[in-house]
Amino acid sequence: PTVEAAELERTFIAIKPDGVQRGLISEIIGRFERKGYKLVAIKLIVPTKEFAAQHYDDLSSRPFFNGLCDFLSSGPVVAMVWEGQGVIKYGRKLIGATSPQASEPGTIRGDLCVQVSRNIIHGSDGPETAVNEIGLWFKPEELVSYTKNDEKWLY
Ligand code: RTP
């Protein structure tokens, strides 16, 4: 009965070009999958620099903004939407702190990368950002609603 509530929460997760190039796609997807979250959208795309700037528009005044946009548009990105109870906040927990040096072992960044500008993954930082980022990266029809067999064992 709580599955309906769980379905309400969705977050945008992206494996950045460094994560793709380093062969970490399955490792990262596997962590979200094993936790019990449901993949509802996925695609591999090379964003333009303009699109990267739109994605990071809240950081446009930061000194690293230009380099960040160059980097995000430098190669394929795995764009995804994950769904589940608490997925926005707990997804950030799975990811770890922005700087891999501050990320705990056991987190994606803590286990798999070293430097803040090459921190392999992005995750929406709140409900409003999640809605905006999902809308920026995906058309509504690209989101797939389905029942996953393990849901009755999770919720
Ligand atoms: P994200 O959205 O990617 O999960 O990262 P975040 O919220 O934890 O961090 P935010 O401050 O929004 O920064 C976004 C991304 O910018 C890059 N960054 N580079 N060179 C630098 O000092 C620096 N600081 C941040 C990181 O890739 C970070 O994920």
Side-chain angles (χ1 to χ4, degrees):
T2 53
V3 177
E4 281 81 9
E7 277 176 356
L8 293 177
E9 195 169 320
R10 290 175 166 178
T11 194
F12 173 72
I13 300 289
I15 304 174
K16 298 179 186 179
D18 51 343
V20 174
Q21 294 296 340
R22 291 183 50 217
L24 296 172
I25 297 172
S26 60
E27 169 73 37
I28 291 170
I29 289 179
R31 290 182 183 218
F32 278 83
E33 207 175 28
R34 290 198 300 273
K35 170 72 177 169
Y37 293 135
K38 178 160 75 174
L39 185 64
V40 296
I42 183 167
K43 61 184 168 187
L44 184 70
I45 51 171
V46 182
T48 62
K49 190 172 179 185
E50 292 67 33
F51 187 88
Q54 245 181 298
H55 171 76
Y56 280 126
D57 71 344
D58 60 316
L59 299 174
S60 59
S61 60
R62 307 291 287 275
F64 56 81
F65 179 70
N66 191 51
L68 179 60
C69 295
D70 276 335
F71 173 60
L72 193 73
S73 57
S74 68
V77 169
V78 178
M80 298 176 280
V81 179
W82 285 87
E83 181 182 277
Q85 224 165 55
V87 70
I88 299 173
K89 202 167 172 198
Y90 205 88
R92 298 275 294 183
K93 228 168 166 158
L94 289 177
I95 289 170
T98 303
S99 168
Q101 299 286 339
S103 301
E104 294 297 327
T107 65
I108 290 167
R109 286 171 177 160
D111 289 348
L112 303 172
C113 57
V114 180
Q115 217 196 19
V116 69
S117 60
R118 297 290 181 272
N119 62 2
I120 70 174
I121 182 168
H122 165 82
S124 305
D125 63 9
E128 202 181 316
T129 322
V131 168
N132 291 341
E133 291 177 348
I134 291 168
L136 177 67
W137 287 78
F138 288 96
K139 301 183 190 116
E141 64 268 27
E142 290 177 313
L143 305 185
V144 182
S145 288
Y146 62 102
T147 302
K148 201 159 160 279
N149 244 335
D150 63 359
E151 280 168 359
K152 59 176 178 285
W153 304 104
L154 281 166
Y155 301 111

